[in-house]
Short mmCIF file of all heavy atoms in Angstrom, two decimals:
data_model
loop_
_atom_site.label_atom_id
_atom_site.label_comp_id
_atom_site.label_asym_id
_atom_site.label_seq_id
_atom_site.Cartn_x
_atom_site.Cartn_y
_atom_site.Cartn_z
N MET A 2 -50.13 39.37 -60.23
CA MET A 2 -50.02 38.70 -58.92
C MET A 2 -48.57 38.25 -58.70
O MET A 2 -48.02 37.48 -59.48
CB MET A 2 -50.95 37.48 -58.92
CG MET A 2 -50.93 36.73 -57.60
SD MET A 2 -52.19 35.45 -57.55
CE MET A 2 -51.86 34.78 -55.92
N PRO A 3 -47.94 38.74 -57.62
CA PRO A 3 -46.52 38.40 -57.39
C PRO A 3 -46.36 36.94 -57.01
O PRO A 3 -47.18 36.38 -56.29
CB PRO A 3 -46.09 39.33 -56.24
CG PRO A 3 -47.37 39.59 -55.51
CD PRO A 3 -48.47 39.61 -56.56
N THR A 4 -45.27 36.37 -57.48
CA THR A 4 -44.98 34.98 -57.11
C THR A 4 -44.31 34.97 -55.74
O THR A 4 -43.53 35.88 -55.41
CB THR A 4 -44.04 34.32 -58.13
OG1 THR A 4 -42.89 35.14 -58.24
CG2 THR A 4 -44.71 34.20 -59.48
N PRO A 5 -44.61 33.99 -54.92
CA PRO A 5 -43.97 33.92 -53.59
C PRO A 5 -42.48 33.64 -53.72
O PRO A 5 -42.05 33.00 -54.67
CB PRO A 5 -44.69 32.76 -52.90
CG PRO A 5 -45.20 31.91 -54.02
CD PRO A 5 -45.52 32.87 -55.14
N PRO A 6 -41.69 34.19 -52.83
CA PRO A 6 -40.24 33.95 -52.91
C PRO A 6 -39.90 32.49 -52.72
O PRO A 6 -40.53 31.78 -51.94
CB PRO A 6 -39.66 34.81 -51.76
CG PRO A 6 -40.81 34.95 -50.81
CD PRO A 6 -42.07 34.97 -51.65
N ILE A 7 -38.90 32.06 -53.48
CA ILE A 7 -38.46 30.67 -53.37
C ILE A 7 -37.59 30.54 -52.11
O ILE A 7 -36.63 31.29 -51.94
CB ILE A 7 -37.65 30.25 -54.61
CG1 ILE A 7 -38.52 30.39 -55.86
CG2 ILE A 7 -37.11 28.83 -54.45
CD1 ILE A 7 -37.75 30.18 -57.14
N PRO A 8 -37.95 29.66 -51.20
CA PRO A 8 -37.14 29.52 -49.97
C PRO A 8 -35.75 28.96 -50.29
O PRO A 8 -35.60 28.02 -51.05
CB PRO A 8 -37.94 28.54 -49.12
CG PRO A 8 -38.77 27.77 -50.11
CD PRO A 8 -39.07 28.72 -51.24
N THR A 9 -34.75 29.61 -49.75
CA THR A 9 -33.38 29.12 -49.95
C THR A 9 -33.11 28.00 -48.94
O THR A 9 -33.42 28.13 -47.76
CB THR A 9 -32.38 30.25 -49.75
OG1 THR A 9 -32.61 30.86 -48.48
CG2 THR A 9 -32.51 31.30 -50.83
N ARG A 10 -32.52 26.96 -49.45
CA ARG A 10 -32.22 25.82 -48.59
C ARG A 10 -30.74 25.84 -48.21
O ARG A 10 -29.89 25.95 -49.08
CB ARG A 10 -32.54 24.50 -49.30
CG ARG A 10 -34.03 24.29 -49.49
CD ARG A 10 -34.27 23.11 -50.42
NE ARG A 10 -35.72 22.88 -50.62
CZ ARG A 10 -36.40 21.98 -49.93
NH1 ARG A 10 -35.81 21.25 -49.03
NH2 ARG A 10 -37.69 21.82 -50.17
N THR A 11 -30.47 25.71 -46.97
CA THR A 11 -29.08 25.61 -46.52
C THR A 11 -28.72 24.14 -46.36
O THR A 11 -29.42 23.41 -45.68
CB THR A 11 -28.91 26.32 -45.16
OG1 THR A 11 -29.32 27.67 -45.28
CG2 THR A 11 -27.46 26.26 -44.73
N PRO A 12 -27.66 23.71 -47.03
CA PRO A 12 -27.27 22.30 -46.87
C PRO A 12 -26.96 21.97 -45.42
O PRO A 12 -26.31 22.75 -44.73
CB PRO A 12 -26.02 22.16 -47.75
CG PRO A 12 -26.04 23.35 -48.65
CD PRO A 12 -26.78 24.43 -47.91
N ASN A 13 -27.42 20.84 -45.01
CA ASN A 13 -27.24 20.45 -43.62
C ASN A 13 -25.88 19.77 -43.45
O ASN A 13 -25.77 18.58 -43.20
CB ASN A 13 -28.37 19.51 -43.20
CG ASN A 13 -28.34 19.24 -41.71
OD1 ASN A 13 -27.76 20.01 -40.96
ND2 ASN A 13 -28.95 18.16 -41.28
N ILE A 14 -24.82 20.56 -43.65
CA ILE A 14 -23.46 20.04 -43.54
C ILE A 14 -22.73 20.84 -42.47
O ILE A 14 -22.85 22.05 -42.40
CB ILE A 14 -22.70 20.16 -44.89
CG1 ILE A 14 -23.43 19.33 -45.96
CG2 ILE A 14 -21.26 19.72 -44.74
CD1 ILE A 14 -22.83 19.47 -47.34
N HIS A 15 -21.97 20.13 -41.67
CA HIS A 15 -21.20 20.81 -40.64
C HIS A 15 -20.19 21.75 -41.28
O HIS A 15 -19.49 21.35 -42.20
CB HIS A 15 -20.48 19.77 -39.77
CG HIS A 15 -19.95 20.36 -38.49
ND1 HIS A 15 -18.75 21.03 -38.44
CD2 HIS A 15 -20.46 20.40 -37.24
CE1 HIS A 15 -18.55 21.45 -37.20
NE2 HIS A 15 -19.57 21.07 -36.45
N PRO A 16 -20.14 23.01 -40.85
CA PRO A 16 -19.25 23.98 -41.52
C PRO A 16 -17.77 23.62 -41.44
O PRO A 16 -16.98 24.06 -42.26
CB PRO A 16 -19.54 25.29 -40.79
CG PRO A 16 -20.17 24.89 -39.50
CD PRO A 16 -20.89 23.60 -39.77
N ALA A 17 -17.39 22.83 -40.48
CA ALA A 17 -15.97 22.48 -40.35
C ALA A 17 -15.54 21.48 -41.42
O ALA A 17 -14.36 21.24 -41.58
CB ALA A 17 -15.71 21.89 -38.97
N GLY A 18 -16.48 20.93 -42.15
CA GLY A 18 -16.10 19.99 -43.20
C GLY A 18 -16.18 18.57 -42.71
O GLY A 18 -16.28 18.30 -41.51
N LEU A 19 -16.10 17.67 -43.66
CA LEU A 19 -16.30 16.26 -43.32
C LEU A 19 -14.98 15.53 -43.08
O LEU A 19 -14.98 14.45 -42.52
CB LEU A 19 -17.05 15.56 -44.44
CG LEU A 19 -18.46 16.10 -44.70
CD1 LEU A 19 -19.07 15.41 -45.89
CD2 LEU A 19 -19.33 15.92 -43.46
N ASN A 20 -13.87 16.11 -43.51
CA ASN A 20 -12.60 15.39 -43.40
C ASN A 20 -11.79 15.79 -42.18
O ASN A 20 -10.64 15.41 -42.05
CB ASN A 20 -11.77 15.63 -44.66
CG ASN A 20 -12.43 14.97 -45.86
OD1 ASN A 20 -12.99 13.88 -45.74
ND2 ASN A 20 -12.37 15.62 -46.99
N VAL A 21 -12.39 16.59 -41.31
CA VAL A 21 -11.68 16.99 -40.11
C VAL A 21 -12.01 16.00 -39.00
O VAL A 21 -13.18 15.74 -38.74
CB VAL A 21 -12.12 18.40 -39.68
CG1 VAL A 21 -11.43 18.81 -38.39
CG2 VAL A 21 -11.81 19.39 -40.80
N PRO A 22 -10.99 15.42 -38.40
CA PRO A 22 -11.28 14.45 -37.33
C PRO A 22 -11.95 15.13 -36.15
O PRO A 22 -11.64 16.25 -35.81
CB PRO A 22 -9.91 13.91 -36.95
CG PRO A 22 -8.95 14.96 -37.40
CD PRO A 22 -9.57 15.60 -38.62
N ARG A 23 -12.88 14.43 -35.57
CA ARG A 23 -13.53 14.96 -34.39
C ARG A 23 -12.60 14.88 -33.18
O ARG A 23 -11.66 14.08 -33.16
CB ARG A 23 -14.80 14.14 -34.09
CG ARG A 23 -15.85 14.31 -35.16
CD ARG A 23 -17.11 13.61 -34.74
NE ARG A 23 -16.88 12.19 -34.46
CZ ARG A 23 -17.41 11.54 -33.45
NH1 ARG A 23 -18.20 12.16 -32.60
NH2 ARG A 23 -17.17 10.26 -33.26
N ILE A 24 -12.84 15.71 -32.21
CA ILE A 24 -12.11 15.63 -30.97
C ILE A 24 -13.02 14.97 -29.95
O ILE A 24 -14.13 15.42 -29.71
CB ILE A 24 -11.69 17.02 -30.47
CG1 ILE A 24 -10.91 17.78 -31.56
CG2 ILE A 24 -10.86 16.89 -29.20
CD1 ILE A 24 -9.61 17.13 -31.97
N GLY A 25 -12.56 13.89 -29.39
CA GLY A 25 -13.39 13.14 -28.46
C GLY A 25 -13.53 13.85 -27.13
O GLY A 25 -12.93 14.89 -26.87
N ASP A 26 -14.33 13.27 -26.27
CA ASP A 26 -14.59 13.87 -24.97
C ASP A 26 -13.32 13.99 -24.13
O ASP A 26 -13.20 14.86 -23.29
CB ASP A 26 -15.62 13.02 -24.21
CG ASP A 26 -16.99 13.08 -24.87
OD1 ASP A 26 -17.25 14.07 -25.58
OD2 ASP A 26 -17.78 12.15 -24.66
N ASP A 27 -12.37 13.08 -24.39
CA ASP A 27 -11.14 13.11 -23.60
C ASP A 27 -10.05 13.93 -24.27
O ASP A 27 -8.91 13.90 -23.85
CB ASP A 27 -10.66 11.68 -23.32
CG ASP A 27 -10.70 10.82 -24.57
OD1 ASP A 27 -10.90 11.38 -25.66
OD2 ASP A 27 -10.54 9.60 -24.44
N GLY A 28 -10.39 14.65 -25.34
CA GLY A 28 -9.45 15.58 -25.93
C GLY A 28 -8.56 15.02 -27.01
O GLY A 28 -7.72 15.72 -27.54
N PHE A 29 -8.74 13.75 -27.38
CA PHE A 29 -7.93 13.15 -28.42
C PHE A 29 -8.59 13.37 -29.77
O PHE A 29 -9.81 13.29 -29.89
CB PHE A 29 -7.77 11.64 -28.20
CG PHE A 29 -7.02 11.29 -26.95
CD1 PHE A 29 -7.64 10.61 -25.92
CD2 PHE A 29 -5.69 11.66 -26.82
CE1 PHE A 29 -6.94 10.28 -24.76
CE2 PHE A 29 -4.99 11.32 -25.67
CZ PHE A 29 -5.61 10.64 -24.64
N GLU A 30 -7.76 13.63 -30.78
CA GLU A 30 -8.26 13.56 -32.14
C GLU A 30 -8.67 12.13 -32.40
O GLU A 30 -7.93 11.20 -32.08
CB GLU A 30 -7.16 13.92 -33.15
CG GLU A 30 -7.07 15.39 -33.47
CD GLU A 30 -6.06 15.64 -34.57
OE1 GLU A 30 -5.42 14.69 -35.03
OE2 GLU A 30 -5.91 16.79 -34.95
N GLU A 31 -9.84 11.96 -32.98
CA GLU A 31 -10.31 10.60 -33.18
C GLU A 31 -9.71 10.01 -34.45
O GLU A 31 -10.38 9.79 -35.45
CB GLU A 31 -11.84 10.56 -33.17
CG GLU A 31 -12.38 10.92 -31.80
CD GLU A 31 -13.84 10.60 -31.64
OE1 GLU A 31 -14.53 10.39 -32.64
OE2 GLU A 31 -14.29 10.55 -30.49
N LEU A 32 -8.38 9.82 -34.39
CA LEU A 32 -7.65 9.18 -35.46
C LEU A 32 -6.79 8.09 -34.83
O LEU A 32 -6.22 8.27 -33.76
CB LEU A 32 -6.73 10.18 -36.17
CG LEU A 32 -7.36 11.02 -37.28
CD1 LEU A 32 -6.32 11.97 -37.84
CD2 LEU A 32 -7.92 10.15 -38.37
N CYS A 33 -6.69 6.97 -35.53
CA CYS A 33 -5.91 5.86 -35.03
C CYS A 33 -4.51 5.95 -35.64
O CYS A 33 -4.31 5.64 -36.81
CB CYS A 33 -6.59 4.54 -35.41
SG CYS A 33 -5.77 3.10 -34.72
N HIS A 34 -3.54 6.41 -34.86
CA HIS A 34 -2.17 6.54 -35.34
C HIS A 34 -1.44 5.21 -35.19
O HIS A 34 -1.82 4.36 -34.40
CB HIS A 34 -1.43 7.63 -34.54
CG HIS A 34 -1.99 9.00 -34.75
ND1 HIS A 34 -1.63 9.82 -35.78
CD2 HIS A 34 -2.90 9.70 -34.03
CE1 HIS A 34 -2.28 10.96 -35.71
NE2 HIS A 34 -3.07 10.91 -34.66
N LEU A 35 -0.37 5.10 -35.98
CA LEU A 35 0.45 3.90 -35.91
C LEU A 35 1.73 4.23 -35.16
O LEU A 35 2.29 5.31 -35.32
CB LEU A 35 0.79 3.40 -37.32
CG LEU A 35 -0.41 3.06 -38.21
CD1 LEU A 35 0.07 2.68 -39.60
CD2 LEU A 35 -1.23 1.96 -37.60
N VAL A 36 2.20 3.30 -34.35
CA VAL A 36 3.44 3.50 -33.61
C VAL A 36 4.33 2.28 -33.84
O VAL A 36 3.89 1.24 -34.32
CB VAL A 36 3.19 3.68 -32.10
CG1 VAL A 36 2.37 4.93 -31.84
CG2 VAL A 36 2.53 2.46 -31.51
N THR A 37 5.60 2.44 -33.48
CA THR A 37 6.53 1.33 -33.56
C THR A 37 6.82 0.83 -32.16
O THR A 37 6.59 1.53 -31.17
CB THR A 37 7.86 1.77 -34.21
OG1 THR A 37 8.45 2.78 -33.41
CG2 THR A 37 7.61 2.32 -35.61
N ASP A 38 7.34 -0.38 -32.07
CA ASP A 38 7.70 -0.93 -30.77
C ASP A 38 8.82 -0.12 -30.13
O ASP A 38 8.91 -0.02 -28.90
CB ASP A 38 8.15 -2.38 -30.91
CG ASP A 38 6.99 -3.29 -31.28
OD1 ASP A 38 5.83 -2.90 -30.99
OD2 ASP A 38 7.23 -4.36 -31.84
N GLU A 39 9.70 0.46 -30.98
CA GLU A 39 10.84 1.20 -30.45
C GLU A 39 10.41 2.51 -29.80
O GLU A 39 11.04 2.98 -28.86
CB GLU A 39 11.85 1.50 -31.56
CG GLU A 39 12.60 0.28 -32.08
CD GLU A 39 11.73 -0.55 -33.01
OE1 GLU A 39 10.82 0.04 -33.64
OE2 GLU A 39 11.93 -1.77 -33.11
N ASP A 40 9.34 3.11 -30.31
CA ASP A 40 8.90 4.41 -29.80
C ASP A 40 7.37 4.46 -29.77
O ASP A 40 6.74 5.07 -30.61
CB ASP A 40 9.46 5.53 -30.68
CG ASP A 40 9.35 6.88 -30.00
OD1 ASP A 40 8.77 6.93 -28.88
OD2 ASP A 40 9.81 7.87 -30.55
N PRO A 41 6.79 3.76 -28.79
CA PRO A 41 5.33 3.64 -28.77
C PRO A 41 4.60 4.92 -28.39
O PRO A 41 3.38 4.97 -28.45
CB PRO A 41 5.09 2.54 -27.73
CG PRO A 41 6.28 2.59 -26.84
CD PRO A 41 7.43 3.00 -27.72
N ASP A 42 5.35 5.96 -28.00
CA ASP A 42 4.71 7.22 -27.63
C ASP A 42 4.71 8.24 -28.76
O ASP A 42 4.19 9.34 -28.60
CB ASP A 42 5.38 7.82 -26.40
CG ASP A 42 5.07 7.02 -25.14
OD1 ASP A 42 4.05 6.31 -25.13
OD2 ASP A 42 5.84 7.11 -24.18
N THR A 43 5.35 7.90 -29.89
CA THR A 43 5.39 8.81 -31.03
C THR A 43 4.84 8.10 -32.25
O THR A 43 5.35 7.04 -32.64
CB THR A 43 6.84 9.28 -31.31
OG1 THR A 43 7.37 9.86 -30.12
CG2 THR A 43 6.86 10.31 -32.42
N ALA A 44 3.82 8.69 -32.84
CA ALA A 44 3.23 8.08 -34.03
C ALA A 44 4.18 8.21 -35.21
O ALA A 44 5.09 9.05 -35.21
CB ALA A 44 1.90 8.75 -34.35
N LEU A 45 3.96 7.38 -36.24
CA LEU A 45 4.80 7.43 -37.43
C LEU A 45 4.75 8.81 -38.08
O LEU A 45 5.71 9.25 -38.69
CB LEU A 45 4.34 6.37 -38.44
CG LEU A 45 4.53 4.92 -38.00
CD1 LEU A 45 4.07 3.99 -39.10
CD2 LEU A 45 5.96 4.64 -37.60
N CYS A 46 3.64 9.51 -37.94
CA CYS A 46 3.51 10.84 -38.55
C CYS A 46 4.14 11.91 -37.68
O CYS A 46 4.14 13.09 -38.02
CB CYS A 46 2.04 11.16 -38.79
SG CYS A 46 1.06 11.35 -37.29
N GLY A 47 4.70 11.51 -36.53
CA GLY A 47 5.40 12.46 -35.68
C GLY A 47 4.58 12.99 -34.53
O GLY A 47 5.09 13.74 -33.70
N LYS A 48 3.31 12.62 -34.45
CA LYS A 48 2.46 13.13 -33.39
C LYS A 48 2.76 12.43 -32.07
O LYS A 48 2.99 11.22 -32.05
CB LYS A 48 0.99 12.94 -33.76
CG LYS A 48 0.04 13.60 -32.78
CD LYS A 48 -1.38 13.49 -33.27
CE LYS A 48 -2.34 14.16 -32.29
NZ LYS A 48 -2.07 15.61 -32.15
N ASP A 49 2.79 13.21 -31.01
CA ASP A 49 2.98 12.64 -29.68
C ASP A 49 1.67 11.99 -29.26
O ASP A 49 0.66 12.66 -29.09
CB ASP A 49 3.38 13.74 -28.70
CG ASP A 49 3.62 13.19 -27.30
OD1 ASP A 49 3.51 11.96 -27.10
OD2 ASP A 49 3.91 13.99 -26.40
N VAL A 50 1.70 10.68 -29.12
CA VAL A 50 0.47 9.95 -28.80
C VAL A 50 0.54 9.36 -27.40
O VAL A 50 -0.13 8.38 -27.09
CB VAL A 50 0.20 8.84 -29.84
CG1 VAL A 50 -0.16 9.46 -31.18
CG2 VAL A 50 1.39 7.92 -29.99
N THR A 51 1.36 9.97 -26.55
CA THR A 51 1.44 9.50 -25.18
C THR A 51 0.05 9.50 -24.54
O THR A 51 -0.63 10.52 -24.56
CB THR A 51 2.38 10.39 -24.37
OG1 THR A 51 3.65 10.46 -25.01
CG2 THR A 51 2.56 9.86 -22.96
N GLY A 52 -0.34 8.38 -24.02
CA GLY A 52 -1.61 8.30 -23.33
C GLY A 52 -2.80 8.06 -24.24
O GLY A 52 -3.92 7.99 -23.77
N TYR A 53 -2.52 7.96 -25.55
CA TYR A 53 -3.63 7.68 -26.46
C TYR A 53 -4.20 6.30 -26.18
O TYR A 53 -3.49 5.40 -25.73
CB TYR A 53 -3.14 7.73 -27.91
CG TYR A 53 -3.47 9.01 -28.64
CD1 TYR A 53 -3.10 10.24 -28.11
CD2 TYR A 53 -4.15 8.99 -29.85
CE1 TYR A 53 -3.40 11.42 -28.78
CE2 TYR A 53 -4.45 10.16 -30.53
CZ TYR A 53 -4.07 11.37 -29.99
OH TYR A 53 -4.37 12.51 -30.66
N PRO A 54 -5.47 6.10 -26.46
CA PRO A 54 -6.05 4.77 -26.34
C PRO A 54 -5.37 3.80 -27.29
O PRO A 54 -4.87 4.21 -28.35
CB PRO A 54 -7.52 4.96 -26.75
CG PRO A 54 -7.77 6.43 -26.64
CD PRO A 54 -6.45 7.11 -26.89
N TRP A 55 -5.31 2.55 -26.92
CA TRP A 55 -4.68 1.53 -27.75
C TRP A 55 -5.72 0.94 -28.69
O TRP A 55 -6.75 0.47 -28.25
CB TRP A 55 -4.07 0.46 -26.85
CG TRP A 55 -3.18 -0.49 -27.59
CD1 TRP A 55 -3.44 -1.82 -27.83
CD2 TRP A 55 -1.91 -0.21 -28.17
NE1 TRP A 55 -2.39 -2.35 -28.54
CE2 TRP A 55 -1.44 -1.41 -28.76
CE3 TRP A 55 -1.12 0.95 -28.25
CZ2 TRP A 55 -0.22 -1.47 -29.43
CZ3 TRP A 55 0.09 0.87 -28.90
CH2 TRP A 55 0.54 -0.32 -29.48
N ASN A 56 -5.43 0.99 -30.01
CA ASN A 56 -6.35 0.48 -31.02
C ASN A 56 -7.77 1.03 -30.86
O ASN A 56 -8.72 0.27 -30.70
CB ASN A 56 -6.39 -1.05 -30.98
CG ASN A 56 -5.12 -1.65 -31.55
OD1 ASN A 56 -4.46 -1.05 -32.39
ND2 ASN A 56 -4.78 -2.84 -31.10
N PRO A 57 -7.91 2.34 -30.89
CA PRO A 57 -9.26 2.90 -30.78
C PRO A 57 -10.05 2.62 -32.05
O PRO A 57 -9.46 2.44 -33.12
CB PRO A 57 -8.99 4.41 -30.63
CG PRO A 57 -7.68 4.63 -31.33
CD PRO A 57 -6.89 3.38 -31.09
N PRO A 58 -11.36 2.57 -31.96
CA PRO A 58 -12.20 2.27 -33.14
C PRO A 58 -12.40 3.49 -34.02
O PRO A 58 -13.52 3.86 -34.35
CB PRO A 58 -13.51 1.80 -32.50
CG PRO A 58 -13.58 2.58 -31.22
CD PRO A 58 -12.15 2.74 -30.75
N TRP A 59 -11.29 4.15 -34.38
CA TRP A 59 -11.36 5.39 -35.15
C TRP A 59 -10.72 5.18 -36.51
O TRP A 59 -9.99 4.21 -36.71
CB TRP A 59 -10.62 6.52 -34.40
CG TRP A 59 -11.17 6.82 -33.05
CD1 TRP A 59 -12.45 6.61 -32.61
CD2 TRP A 59 -10.45 7.37 -31.94
NE1 TRP A 59 -12.55 6.99 -31.29
CE2 TRP A 59 -11.35 7.47 -30.86
CE3 TRP A 59 -9.12 7.79 -31.76
CZ2 TRP A 59 -10.98 7.98 -29.63
CZ3 TRP A 59 -8.75 8.31 -30.53
CH2 TRP A 59 -9.67 8.39 -29.48
N PRO A 60 -10.95 6.09 -37.45
CA PRO A 60 -10.30 5.97 -38.77
C PRO A 60 -8.79 6.07 -38.63
O PRO A 60 -8.27 6.79 -37.77
CB PRO A 60 -10.85 7.16 -39.56
CG PRO A 60 -12.07 7.59 -38.83
CD PRO A 60 -11.86 7.24 -37.39
N SER A 61 -8.07 5.34 -39.46
CA SER A 61 -6.61 5.36 -39.40
C SER A 61 -6.08 6.69 -39.91
O SER A 61 -6.64 7.31 -40.80
CB SER A 61 -6.05 4.23 -40.26
OG SER A 61 -6.41 2.99 -39.71
N CYS A 62 -4.96 7.11 -39.31
CA CYS A 62 -4.29 8.34 -39.71
C CYS A 62 -3.63 8.11 -41.07
O CYS A 62 -2.79 7.23 -41.21
CB CYS A 62 -3.26 8.72 -38.66
SG CYS A 62 -2.19 10.08 -39.14
N GLU A 63 -4.01 8.92 -42.04
CA GLU A 63 -3.48 8.74 -43.39
C GLU A 63 -1.97 8.98 -43.43
O GLU A 63 -1.24 8.33 -44.17
CB GLU A 63 -4.18 9.69 -44.36
CG GLU A 63 -5.64 9.34 -44.61
CD GLU A 63 -5.78 8.03 -45.36
OE1 GLU A 63 -4.87 7.68 -46.12
OE2 GLU A 63 -6.80 7.36 -45.16
N ALA A 64 -1.49 9.91 -42.63
CA ALA A 64 -0.06 10.20 -42.62
C ALA A 64 0.72 9.00 -42.09
O ALA A 64 1.76 8.62 -42.63
CB ALA A 64 0.22 11.44 -41.78
N CYS A 65 0.21 8.39 -41.04
CA CYS A 65 0.87 7.20 -40.49
C CYS A 65 0.86 6.07 -41.52
O CYS A 65 1.87 5.39 -41.69
CB CYS A 65 0.16 6.75 -39.22
SG CYS A 65 0.53 7.73 -37.77
N LEU A 66 -0.25 5.90 -42.20
CA LEU A 66 -0.33 4.85 -43.21
C LEU A 66 0.67 5.09 -44.32
O LEU A 66 1.32 4.16 -44.79
CB LEU A 66 -1.76 4.79 -43.78
CG LEU A 66 -2.82 4.23 -42.84
CD1 LEU A 66 -4.20 4.33 -43.51
CD2 LEU A 66 -2.53 2.79 -42.46
N ALA A 67 0.81 6.34 -44.74
CA ALA A 67 1.75 6.66 -45.82
C ALA A 67 3.18 6.34 -45.39
O ALA A 67 3.95 5.78 -46.15
CB ALA A 67 1.61 8.14 -46.19
N VAL A 68 3.53 6.70 -44.16
CA VAL A 68 4.88 6.43 -43.67
C VAL A 68 5.10 4.93 -43.59
O VAL A 68 6.15 4.41 -43.98
CB VAL A 68 5.09 7.09 -42.30
CG1 VAL A 68 6.43 6.65 -41.72
CG2 VAL A 68 5.04 8.60 -42.42
N SER A 69 4.11 4.20 -43.08
CA SER A 69 4.28 2.75 -42.94
C SER A 69 4.44 2.09 -44.30
O SER A 69 5.20 1.15 -44.48
CB SER A 69 3.10 2.15 -42.18
OG SER A 69 1.93 2.17 -42.96
N ARG A 70 3.70 2.58 -45.29
CA ARG A 70 3.85 2.03 -46.64
C ARG A 70 5.24 2.30 -47.18
O ARG A 70 5.85 1.45 -47.83
CB ARG A 70 2.79 2.63 -47.59
CG ARG A 70 1.45 1.94 -47.50
CD ARG A 70 0.58 2.33 -48.67
NE ARG A 70 0.25 3.74 -48.65
CZ ARG A 70 -0.86 4.25 -48.14
NH1 ARG A 70 -1.75 3.45 -47.58
NH2 ARG A 70 -1.11 5.53 -48.15
N GLY A 71 5.75 3.50 -46.89
CA GLY A 71 7.07 3.84 -47.37
C GLY A 71 8.15 2.96 -46.74
O GLY A 71 9.12 2.58 -47.40
N GLU A 72 7.96 2.61 -45.45
CA GLU A 72 8.94 1.78 -44.78
C GLU A 72 8.85 0.33 -45.24
O GLU A 72 9.83 -0.40 -45.16
CB GLU A 72 8.74 1.86 -43.26
CG GLU A 72 9.14 3.21 -42.70
CD GLU A 72 9.01 3.24 -41.19
OE1 GLU A 72 8.47 2.28 -40.61
OE2 GLU A 72 9.47 4.22 -40.59
N MET A 73 7.67 -0.07 -45.67
CA MET A 73 7.51 -1.46 -46.11
C MET A 73 8.23 -1.70 -47.44
O MET A 73 8.70 -2.79 -47.70
CB MET A 73 6.00 -1.77 -46.30
CG MET A 73 5.24 -1.74 -45.00
SD MET A 73 5.78 -2.97 -43.80
CE MET A 73 4.67 -2.64 -42.44
N ASN A 74 8.28 -0.67 -48.28
CA ASN A 74 8.86 -0.86 -49.62
C ASN A 74 10.37 -0.93 -49.57
O ASN A 74 11.01 -0.18 -48.89
CB ASN A 74 8.44 0.30 -50.54
CG ASN A 74 6.94 0.19 -50.82
OD1 ASN A 74 6.36 -0.89 -50.70
ND2 ASN A 74 6.32 1.30 -51.16
ZN1 LIG B 377 -0.63 9.68 -37.44
#
């Protein structure tokens, strides 16, 4: 008597991965970049953030954090 095939389970994970920031409805990467008072339209990581929301409730940009840490030292 043949055994029934074992069903293969596909992990319920988004194929794009978990560390990729989502793009919001308004087209912004949902990352909270850091800016300086001298250049509030350019993030510390170099991204043009003109028109970005101010203090959005999104995860902080790791690149901006790294730059800010470097400037603090
Ligand atoms: Zn950034």
